[in-house]
Amino acid sequence: MFEQLSRLDPDPILGMLAAYRADPRAHKIDLGVGVYQDELGRTPIMRAVSDAERHLLVTETTKTYQGIAGDPVFNERLLALLLGANHRVLEEDRVRGVQTPGGCGALRIGAELIQRARRAAKVWVSTPTWANHIPLIGGAGLQLAEYPYFDAASGGIDFDAMMDTLSRVGPGDLVLLHGCCHNPTGADLDLGQWRAVTELALKNGFTPYVDVAYQGLADGVEADVAGVRHLLAAVPEAVVASSCSKNFGLYRERAGAVYFIAATRAQADAVQTQAMAAARQIYSMPPAHGAAIVSTILGDATLRADWLEELGEVRGRINAMRTLLAARLAGNAAGKDFSFITRQKGMFSYFGITPQQVTRLREEFAVYMMESTRINLAGITPANIDSLASAVHAVLEPAA
Ligand code: LMR
């Protein structure tokens, strides 16, 4: 039977990481996969994470099964981080969640639940969106459609075109929104735009499906979800995926959760049983360790403060690299304006060069970025900025 299967191309993002790791050139630069690197190019374990792990080592008493929904305390603490303490849906008791294996697990259980609720639902995704959204959501059997989003000319959002398309999306369909730090473009909705999307959702009746994978990587853990909180306080129903991979640096531990906001408490309860049934059919229950770390940090004032401080350092470093890169590319021979890099948020920018230039950067200069031209700003360090900038200047030179 296996002869029926053809060999597939590598995953666009993780395949790029494998190619980078296999490259023997010592001066190689990784602007590919969305993983934080410090100024020495390392992906450190956050201080609060190490402290929480030490604590767990001495306090954990069992490795027996958790429930299908994972750790309820983790689910509650992560939800409070997402919504704040006094959010309307908490007061109305209309939100339920299940812990998931990372943000991918959250998105997939969200999609499975949507499929159970409405088989014919269509999910509208931004153009472009994170490369894995499409197979992940489509793999659950949902149809996908695209709404215009990125404006290459300004490096921002073509908001009029986005709203024009969404004005034709109605009840029973979902609109996938990136909570902050849009992946791959770094172009985020501002608060006024979140308000306008909220009004449209209320008027037209589509359901928001929000992916919050980078809370705290743009302007801060509160500021980054102000728009999401506004939206979720207004709409009757929503699906929200939350990941701890980036903001806690817990990539390999697979910690995340999916939350469902329903119109009533009874519906929220029913939805949770369905989400648990979906999880049981796929992986039974989520891994415990990463969520235990997050729960420990969020539940302890000292660890939480230290985590927030280190997250601020991460954010500061990424933003400093944005400023530095834009400055070093100013005055390039092609006359290309890179100032948009400083206006974008989070780990990524859409670099906006040609596919040939992307290939030249990789082959001649060992600079790895996504084929889409997405770059991870955290891959830039004081040690590699000179060679990165000169490589980019070289490929931008008009051919002689
Ligand atoms: C990315 O976008 O690079 C990360 O979210 C890693 C992944 O799983 O694609």
Side-chain angles (χ1 to χ4, degrees), residues 11 13-14 32-35 104 130-132 183 213-214 246 251 254 348 370 374:
D11 177 83
I13 297 176
L14 300 181
V33 68
V35 168
C104 284
W130 177 46
N132 206 31
N183 181 2
Y214 294 83
K246 322 285 169 151
Y251 309 90
R254 314 310 298 140
F348 306 118
M370 302 308 304
R374 186 191 82 172

Side-chain angles (χ1 to χ4, degrees), residues 255-266:
V258 61
Y259 297 100
F260 303 96
I261 292 171
T264 66
R265 182 193 296 193

